[in-house]
Amino acid sequence: MAHPDDAELWAGGTIARYTARGIPTIIAVPEHHDPVRNREAAAGAAILGATLYQYDATAPDALAVLLRGTKPEIVITHPLRDMHADHRHLAEKLLAAVPDVVIATGRPHRVYTCDTYNSLTLDGPVPAHTTLDVTDTQPVKMRALTAHRSQPVDTHFARMAATLSRLWGARIGTSYAENFVPVPVLGRLPAASGL
């Protein structure tokens, strides 16, 4: 993810769902120049039950090194045509690293993009695709989001996260949900009943 609070905002309920099952999860974000934001990222990841990995975003192969070292089953990133330039840039760097890493290691097996501001990309609405019920883990997501006190959580981010989760939930008949869109990995979209 591009920012210290992005994992909580766009995939926090899903991350909490997987970590509650004992599935190891890493939240990777560039190391922030502000130590407060770095501490908040660590606190948010801990609440979600994930491990925080902060990397030097100026290193050209930082994401490839991370992927080769961890060999993840699943990777979540931002939409390639995200409205936020930082999100787009990170997604482009990650997806540029994926082919060579997959050829070398066989992983990740699946790559997904997450939701974004107002569920809008430069190409229009984020398409509904793999929408996961996070009703049970929504409170964990919101608690993790509140760890980012240096940001306008109460007046902006928490409201947005709750609204988007409610809207995705309404689409699948649950209270809260998060949506993900698969990205082909070497041209393949493997069948899956979840992420």
Side-chain angles (χ1 to χ4, degrees):
M1 296 290 169
H3 304 108
D5 54 4
D6 281 339
E8 290 88 334
L9 279 168
W10 314 120
T14 300
I15 292 168
R17 179 180 173 194
Y18 280 85
T19 61
R21 293 188 205 160
I23 298 170
T25 304
I26 296 170
I27 296 172
V29 295
E31 186 170 20
H32 205 276
H33 296 292
D34 178 354
V36 171
R37 296 290 311 267
N38 290 333
R39 285 193 300 274
E40 290 171 347
I47 291 167
L48 293 177
T51 300
L52 179 67
Y53 179 87
Q54 292 179 295
Y55 62 91
D56 180 359
T58 63
D61 63 344
L63 293 173
V65 168
L66 170 63
L67 293 172
R68 280 190 186 98
T70 59
K71 297 181 183 79
E73 175 75 21
I74 300 167
V75 171
I76 299 171
T77 190
H78 299 284
L80 274 171
R81 299 280 292 158
D82 201 297
M83 297 288 258
H84 195 301
D86 291 347
H87 292 183
R88 282 194 312 273
H89 180 69
L90 184 280
E92 289 167 0
K93 283 179 73 172
L94 176 81
L95 293 178
V98 165
D100 287 341
V101 172
V102 172
I103 290 167
T105 69
R107 290 182 177 232
H109 290 153
R110 295 187 294 282
V111 176
Y112 292 89
T113 61
C114 58
D115 202 4
T116 190
Y117 296 99
N118 300 311
S119 296
L120 289 174
T121 69
L122 294 173
D123 297 323
V126 170
H129 194 283
T130 305
T131 308
L132 302 179
D133 181 1
V134 296
T135 302
D136 292 344
T137 55
Q138 181 74 7
V140 179
K141 169 184 177 148
M142 299 308 288
R143 194 167 60 251
L145 189 54
T146 63
H148 298 272
R149 282 280 160 225
S150 69
Q151 302 305 296
V153 173
D154 295 332
T155 59
H156 180 64
F157 290 125
R159 291 178 186 174
M160 178 180 62
T163 298
L164 291 173
S165 294
R166 275 195 305 273
L167 289 170
W168 287 115
R171 290 176 180 179
I172 63 169
T174 66
S175 296
Y176 296 100
E178 292 172 341
N179 183 66
F180 302 91
V181 179
V183 176
V185 175
L186 298 181
R188 297 186 63 193
L189 290 170
S193 59
L195 293 188

